[in-house]
Amino acid sequence: MATARSGFESILLDRSWVSPQDLEKAHQRKKPGQEIADVLIDMGALEPQRLARALAQEYGLPFQAHIDAATLENDLVAKVPINYAKRNRLLPVSTDGATVTVAIADPANYEPLDDLHVLFGKPIQAVVAPAEVINEAINRAYDQAATTTAHDLMIDLEEDRLDLVASELASEPRDLLEADDAAPIIRLVNGLLSQAVKDRASDIHIEVFERELVVRFRVDGMLFDVLTPQKRFHAAIASRIKVMSGLNIAEKRLPQDGRIRLRIAGRDIDIRVSTIPTAYGERIVLRLLDRAQALVDVNLDRLGFSGDNLPKIERLIHQSHGIILATGPTGSGKTTTLYACLSRINSPEKNIITIEDPIEYQLHGVGQMQVSPKIDLTFANGLRSILRQDPDVIMVGEIRDSETAEIAIQAALTGHLVFSTLHTNDSFGALTRLIDMGIEPFLVSSSVIAVLAQRLVRVVCADCRQPYNPTEAELARIGLGGVRLTKPIYRPAGCKACRNTGYRGRSAITELMVVDDDVRSLVMQKADGSMIRRACTAKGMKLLRHDGADRIVAGQTTIEELLRVTQEEIA
């Protein structure tokens, strides 16, 4: 930043925004070509807001502390490429018809202002704003520009003849919002991706039928229709997504899997792409993962663990050996829970290695191996190799067969802590499932130390939830019959914040079965899941519906939602 001037320094000193000692240290640390303001910021001696105020005073320009992205004029923003705006830390914010007001972090950088004068054909009025304020406004502004409404996209598609040449389809955008805005299909795909991120969608489904093409988002576990383009656009949309994910455009008869990594509104997004052939064309599913948000959410407290289960699982994951299993249907958050456990115990003293299919989160300090059936790198083969790496903790993405189960059990019996997932409906069925795989009961009973079953329930929207008095029959179905309630029970209503669904976000409800001597005895007798269940509940173990009922009483979810996700248990 070209601001190292005596006048600028005098302003900082006169206002006591920088001490003479810090200024002297900054000059001592300053390297050739480096500006004094940058050194002061790096030292923590100068706040960015004060830097911007000092620059505004030095250059006699207005100071703007905040930029409301909602009030920005899209026509102005659209004329300035996002890379140019970010590189020069500037953004056009408004126009009165005669002049264009531009927020800039460094008014000494006058050349971009001259460029904008030529671009807009009008005088430029500069205002000084903090760099981070401008950067955030840029991300929000270009996100708004990208998430064009479905109606506008469809009008553009109808008016354009879609002459998509190969060079257009082959252009790989480094940043999502840098793609050629002139190609309607590119804009449509980009708009869908941006809108999906904005709506917190976990998946985008592009489904082709005999007479129609449907695009749906999965938000909080539920699918919603968002767009119905004409079927004739299906091939172009599929080709665009295949190019972005590195798939074979010409291959339409076989399933394909690919990956896209994009930056959307300043956020790094990983997208897993899956295509399968159907009777009327290829069906495409894109699974979105916000890497930064995922790392924030991978925490036992944030996932919804509470009450007795949280201290129990904290104790279990610090054991030196044994198997901890997470069970539940696909999409119930099992892998996320195991990542949270690994994050909690991860330390320089532990060697943690995982084998996964696919690797969903990148965990710092953890060795992660991707399953690859094409080269015979299966869970079983990978697990054998991991055991030669002197691990303390192992995570196996899923126990799918007896071979993997046997190796995992042997690892647990030889001093390793093993985490894995298993597809069973409840915690009690996991032990009998291992026996059904051909594992000897004594091996199961001596290796498995706990089984966690979980479901994801939608959280009732705090902006529109409505208190009501449930019937005694409703309360009885969730185990609260005859209980005197001291807090209100809520039901969903629907508002703009939750897309009129009544829910926003999800949380885990859990049941944790600790394998004690009584459970081991039943396993040795080859008892079925129902017998193990009765023994555990007799000693006060909380089931999924009990944990869900606690969430209802706490105002976090609803009776309808709990019944939806635990119907097989309550029925």
Side-chain angles (χ1 to χ4, degrees), residues 153-434:
L153 285 168
M154 290 310 301
I155 289 176
D156 289 343
L157 286 168
E158 286 296 331
E159 291 177 349
D160 200 283
R161 299 193 325 174
L162 296 178
D163 296 325
L164 297 178
V165 296
S167 60
E168 281 183 313
L169 284 175
S171 61
E172 184 70 28
R174 289 183 299 275
D175 184 291
L176 174 65
L177 302 179
E178 294 176 48
D180 182 5
D181 199 48
I185 290 298
I186 293 177
R187 287 200 295 124
L188 174 60
V189 173
N190 289 352
L192 286 173
L193 292 171
S194 294
Q195 191 64 45
V197 171
K198 186 177 181 181
D199 290 348
R200 302 176 300 105
S202 61
D203 302 84
I204 302 173
H205 289 239
I206 301 173
E207 302 165 349
V208 60
F209 301 100
E210 183 178 6
R211 293 186 177 87
E212 62 180 344
L213 178 63
V214 179
V215 179
R216 300 196 287 173
F217 288 172
R218 187 180 293 278
V219 181
D220 294 333
M222 307 295 285
L223 282 167
F224 300 93
D225 289 356
V226 294
L227 193 63
T228 54
Q230 289 191 20
K231 187 183 175 182
R232 64 191 177 95
F233 299 129
H234 172 257
I237 292 171
S239 293
R240 176 60 187 163
I241 293 172
K242 283 182 173 182
V243 167
M244 294 176 73
S245 54
L247 300 182
N248 184 351
I249 296 178
E251 181 57 74
K252 297 179 174 64
R253 301 164 301 168
L254 295 174
Q256 295 190 72
D257 294 302
R259 225 179 172 114
I260 304 172
R261 179 170 290 183
L262 293 174
R263 191 166 178 82
I264 304 176
R267 296 154 66 181
D268 290 323
I269 307 295
D270 275 341
I271 304 170
R272 294 209 314 266
V273 180
S274 171
T275 71
I276 62 169
T278 68
Y280 300 108
E282 288 179 290
R283 177 175 287 212
I284 304 169
V285 174
L286 300 91
R287 172 152 291 184
L288 284 70
L289 176 66
D290 184 339
R291 285 187 287 159
Q293 189 60 39
L295 291 176
V296 169
D297 288 343
V298 176
N299 182 291
L300 290 172
D301 301 322
R302 294 178 66 93
L303 291 177
F305 285 86
S306 58
D308 296 337
N309 285 344
L310 186 57
K312 284 181 182 178
I313 200 164
E314 287 274 13
R315 177 178 58 82
L316 287 163
I317 64 179
H318 285 91
Q319 298 291 310
S320 61
H321 62 275
I323 297 179
I324 298 175
L325 294 172
T327 70
T330 301
S332 59
K334 303 184 296 296
T335 303
T336 302
T337 296
L338 294 188
Y339 275 119
C341 294
L342 293 181
S343 295
R344 185 63 62 94
I345 63 175
N346 188 14
S347 69
E349 295 78 30
K350 285 188 170 69
N351 180 19
I352 303 176
I353 306 178
T354 73
I355 179 162
E356 308 169 53
D357 184 23
I359 296 172
E360 294 188 17
Y361 306 98
Q362 297 288 341
L363 295 178
H364 179 71
V366 175
Q368 297 174 266
M369 185 189 304
Q370 168 76 50
V371 166
S372 181
K374 293 179 180 178
I375 57 173
D376 200 29
L377 179 54
T378 61
F379 279 115
N381 292 338
L383 187 50
R384 285 193 188 92
S385 300
I386 286 173
L387 290 172
R388 303 187 195 107
Q389 292 282 312
D390 185 32
D392 298 296
V393 180
I394 301 168
M395 188 187 94
V396 184
E398 183 183 346
I399 293 178
R400 296 176 179 172
D401 51 51
S402 59
E403 187 180 13
T404 306
E406 287 174 359
I407 302 169
I409 287 173
Q410 289 301 323
L413 294 175
T414 54
H416 304 88
L417 183 61
V418 180
F419 295 91
S420 191
T421 69
L422 202 62
H423 280 287
T424 58
N425 289 328
D426 57 24
S427 57
F428 315 106
L431 301 176
T432 56
R433 174 81 178 102
L434 290 173

Side-chain angles (χ1 to χ4, degrees), residues 12-247:
L12 296 179
L13 293 171
D14 290 345
R15 295 200 173 196
S16 298
W17 286 345
V18 170
S19 69
Q21 295 81 6
D22 284 338
L23 189 58
E24 181 63 29
K25 286 180 185 177
H27 276 291
Q28 293 172 359
R29 296 183 184 183
K30 180 177 174 296
K31 298 176 182 177
Q34 192 176 20
E35 300 299 339
I36 200 69
D38 293 330
V39 181
L40 289 167
I41 292 287
D42 292 341
M43 289 171 52
L46 179 61
E47 296 178 7
Q49 285 269 354
R50 289 179 171 177
L51 168 61
R53 286 183 182 276
L55 288 170
Q57 181 177 334
E58 182 183 7
Y59 285 89
L61 296 172
F63 171 74
Q64 189 163 332
H66 304 286
I67 300 174
D68 185 358
T71 64
L72 295 175
E73 299 183 22
N74 289 336
D75 291 344
L76 293 177
V77 173
K79 288 186 176 181
V80 181
I82 185 172
N83 263 2
Y84 187 87
K86 284 189 172 183
R87 184 169 62 251
N88 294 290
R89 290 183 289 187
L90 56 77
L91 186 67
V93 292
S94 64
T95 181
D96 59 6
T99 62
V100 176
T101 300
V102 176
I104 189 166
D106 181 12
N109 189 15
Y110 56 85
E111 290 182 358
L113 297 177
D114 290 341
D115 292 341
L116 295 187
H117 174 68
V118 174
L119 177 67
F120 292 113
K122 297 176 182 178
I124 301 298
Q125 171 60 55
V127 298
V128 181
E132 70 271 19
V133 170
I134 292 177
N135 191 54
E136 182 178 350
I138 287 172
N139 288 335
R140 290 182 176 275
Y142 286 89
D143 182 39
Q144 284 177 188
T147 52
T148 312
T149 63
H151 175 70
D152 290 340
L153 285 168
M154 290 310 301
I155 289 176
D156 289 343
L157 286 168
E158 286 296 331
E159 291 177 349
D160 200 283
R161 299 193 325 174
L162 296 178
D163 296 325
L164 297 178
V165 296
S167 60
E168 281 183 313
L169 284 175
S171 61
E172 184 70 28
R174 289 183 299 275
D175 184 291
L176 174 65
L177 302 179
E178 294 176 48
D180 182 5
D181 199 48
I185 290 298
I186 293 177
R187 287 200 295 124
L188 174 60
V189 173
N190 289 352
L192 286 173
L193 292 171
S194 294
Q195 191 64 45
V197 171
K198 186 177 181 181
D199 290 348
R200 302 176 300 105
S202 61
D203 302 84
I204 302 173
H205 289 239
I206 301 173
E207 302 165 349
V208 60
F209 301 100
E210 183 178 6
R211 293 186 177 87
E212 62 180 344
L213 178 63
V214 179
V215 179
R216 300 196 287 173
F217 288 172
R218 187 180 293 278
V219 181
D220 294 333
M222 307 295 285
L223 282 167
F224 300 93
D225 289 356
V226 294
L227 193 63
T228 54
Q230 289 191 20
K231 187 183 175 182
R232 64 191 177 95
F233 299 129
H234 172 257
I237 292 171
S239 293
R240 176 60 187 163
I241 293 172
K242 283 182 173 182
V243 167
M244 294 176 73
S245 54
L247 300 182

